[in-house]
Amino acid sequence: MRTLVLNAGYEPLGVVSFKRALTLVLNNKATVLEPAEAEVHSTTAVFDLPSVILLSRYVRIPASRGVPVTRKGVLRRDNHRCAYCNRNANTIDHVQPKSRGGRDTWENLVACCLKCNNTKSDKTLAEIGWKLRITPRMPSGGAWTVRGADRLEPEWDSYLIAA
């Protein structure tokens, strides 16, 4: 069970475990905006598990907070589809190979199936005559800037759309 944490200004900050969320609520550092459909029992009380919480105090966020590049993120951005043949992708590929100066950036990494990854090897697209079916770029939007939001819960939608 995971909980979406909103800053005091209702901007999404991140996703935490329900234990961390419940601790914030019980210490009056956050309030529950959306309860989940589950509860946790202690020896003396029953608590609704929070799905979305709002922090009581505003937390400053660095202005230059970008989306960190991860293997999981590249696959998610490309919908787990190969950028070359559109089959199911389970690996990532450097468009400009690392052996030729390619870097680990959103613009140089694409999701790739194992067959295309092995065929392409350390060649450039021009050398083998391939084209990308997508233009790789850093993803944007509320769901991408929230730390830990690789899987989204339906009740979070209204809080992530504005971000």
Side-chain angles (χ1 to χ4, degrees), residues 5 46 50 80 99 104 130:
V5 179
V46 177
H80 288 80
S99 62
D104 292 333
W130 285 9

Side-chain angles (χ1 to χ4, degrees), residues 6-126:
L6 302 178
N7 211 342
Y10 286 84
E11 61 185 322
L13 282 181
V15 177
V16 297
S17 70
F18 81 88
K19 290 178 185 179
R20 176 72 178 133
L22 206 50
T23 301
L24 289 168
V25 170
L26 291 175
N27 288 323
N28 295 322
K29 294 184 178 184
T31 56
V32 178
L33 292 180
E34 295 271 342
E37 293 180 5
E39 49 188 32
V40 65
H41 300 264
S42 75
T43 56
T44 58
V46 177
F47 301 100
D48 287 329
L49 292 180
S51 180
V52 180
I53 61 172
L54 176 69
L55 294 179
S56 304
R57 301 184 88 156
Y58 188 80
V59 176
R60 224 173 95 84
I61 307 168
S64 63
R65 185 167 138 184
V67 181
V69 179
T70 62
R71 177 184 181 280
K72 201 189 278 189
V74 172
L75 289 169
R76 184 174 148 217
R77 176 199 65 191
D78 296 347
N79 249 357
H80 288 80
R81 306 305 298 170
C82 180
Y84 305 114
C85 70
N86 204 30
R87 283 191 298 225
N88 192 36
N90 50 7
T91 64
I92 60 171
D93 181 57
H94 289 81
V95 178
Q96 175 70 27
K98 280 184 98 169
S99 62
R100 305 213 185 165
R103 299 178 53 203
D104 292 333
T105 63
W106 284 109
E107 293 76 19
N108 192 45
L109 292 170
V110 292
C112 189
C113 69
L114 195 57
K115 182 178 179 188
C116 288
N117 203 343
N118 287 334
T119 302
K120 183 177 173 286
S121 187
D122 68 340
K123 300 174 192 83
T124 64
L125 296 179

Side-chain angles (χ1 to χ4, degrees), residues 136-155:
R137 59 176 54 107
M138 180 168 45
S140 60
W144 287 97
T145 57
V146 177
R147 300 177 96 163
D150 48 327
R151 290 176 297 128
L152 303 177
E153 303 295 331
E155 57 268 20

